[in-house]
Amino acid sequence: EVQLVESGGGLVQPGRSLRLSCTASGFTFGDYAMSWFRQAPGKGLEWVGFIRSKAYGGTTEYAASVKGRFTISRDDSKSIAYLQMNSLKTEDTAVYYCTRAIAAAAGYYFDYWGQGTLVTVSS
Amino acid sequence: EIVMTQSPATLSVSPGERATLSCRASQSVDTKLAWYQQKPGQGPRLLIYGASTRATGLPARFSGSGSGTEFTLTINSLQSEDSAVYYCQQYDNWPLTFGPGTKVEIK
């Protein structure tokens, strides 16, 4: 059974950093691209960033709102994807979801989602 | 950036009836369109990808159609457990973008 478990969320002050982890099980992690999404309280879904599998260079893509502040990485030996968040802003407050990406027709859709971890940025 | 819109914002349907949800893209996304269902307190669940392909295990009463800029999610014989917010998402271009969602309520 595919499982994605996010961890590392919590309360952090504006300007500080936080690292989220996504621990995967039930599939060969290194074969898949992974992505992070977020959802501010009471709002819709927003894509944050994406990392390809090592077979495709392990390259990344980011939303404009987080580019230069957030970094996605992966440790295939541990089946973990990370989201390093620096220079956090109050508008980064959200539930953050980790997802598995499926390549399809030169794009990717997301077939498994974790339960999410809440990040609150407040002084 | 491709802007996704959804209508209606809220849909109230009686059990056993059909719900029709619409999604529109600001430019063509071919068939690179997915639908997700989200219930309160839960992560989203993939329903449809490629505009019309059902995810594994999804009941046949869910169906997707469309291409280019106009898409539809149809839920036949609506059941109480279908009460949720439904989002469409394009994956034709970066950045990936979602519609604002349609909330389906059961009368």
Side-chain angles (χ1 to χ4, degrees):
Chain A
E1 179 193 7
V2 172
Q3 284 197 310
L4 300 170
V5 179
E6 302 93 340
S7 59
L11 175 63
V12 61
Q13 293 179 325
R16 303 299 290 265
S17 298
L18 201 63
R19 188 179 79 163
L20 305 184
S21 299
C22 169
T23 302
S25 60
F27 65 100
T28 304
F29 181 78
D31 289 349
Y32 290 85
M34 302 294 292
S35 196
W36 288 90
F37 294 82
R38 67 184 180 184
Q39 187 169 36
K43 302 297 185 182
L45 296 166
E46 180 188 14
W47 170 68
V48 172
F50 173 90
I51 185 166
R52 295 174 179 82
S53 66
K54 290 290 197 305
Y56 289 88
T59 52
T60 53
E61 308 284 346
Y62 297 98
S65 58
V66 307
K67 196 168 186 178
R69 299 189 299 123
F70 289 13
T71 302
I72 296 176
S73 60
R74 60 189 301 154
D75 185 336
D76 291 351
S77 68
K78 295 181 179 178
S79 297
I80 299 177
Y82 299 100
L83 178 63
Q84 176 68 43
M85 304 184 292
N86 299 331
S87 303
L88 281 160
K89 305 175 181 180
T90 55
E91 53 263 41
D92 295 319
T93 294
V95 174
Y96 284 74
Y97 295 102
C98 167
T99 69
R100 187 178 81 166
I102 300 296
Y108 294 85
Y109 63 91
F110 306 93
D111 64 343
Y112 284 95
W113 295 60
Q115 284 300 300
T117 186
L118 176 62
V119 173
T120 303
V121 184
S122 174
S123 54
Chain B
E1 172 175 322
I2 297 176
V3 177
M4 306 299 292
T5 56
Q6 290 184 243
S7 61
T10 304
L11 189 58
S12 186
V13 183
S14 298
E17 299 206 331
R18 174 183 297 168
T20 302
L21 289 66
S22 296
C23 172
R24 175 176 291 179
S26 61
Q27 65 188 70
S28 177
V29 298
D30 193 13
T31 57
K32 298 189 187 72
L33 190 284
W35 289 93
Y36 300 89
Q37 176 194 66
Q38 188 178 32
K39 297 181 179 181
Q42 297 184 14
R45 170 195 179 191
L46 175 69
L47 300 178
I48 301 285
Y49 61 93
S52 62
T53 303
R54 277 190 296 273
T56 302
L58 186 69
R61 56 199 181 78
F62 288 86
S63 63
S65 64
S67 66
T69 62
E70 302 282 341
F71 301 89
T72 301
L73 175 70
T74 302
I75 311 172
N76 289 309
S77 302
L78 201 75
Q79 300 183 8
S80 58
E81 61 260 34
D82 299 332
S83 178
V85 178
Y86 293 81
Y87 295 95
C88 62
Q89 178 234 323
Q90 66 81 20
Y91 52 96
D92 185 60
N93 271 317
W94 305 103
L96 307 178
T97 49
F98 289 87
T102 291
K103 184 176 184 179
V104 173
E105 297 177 339
I106 311 299
K107 282 184 182 175

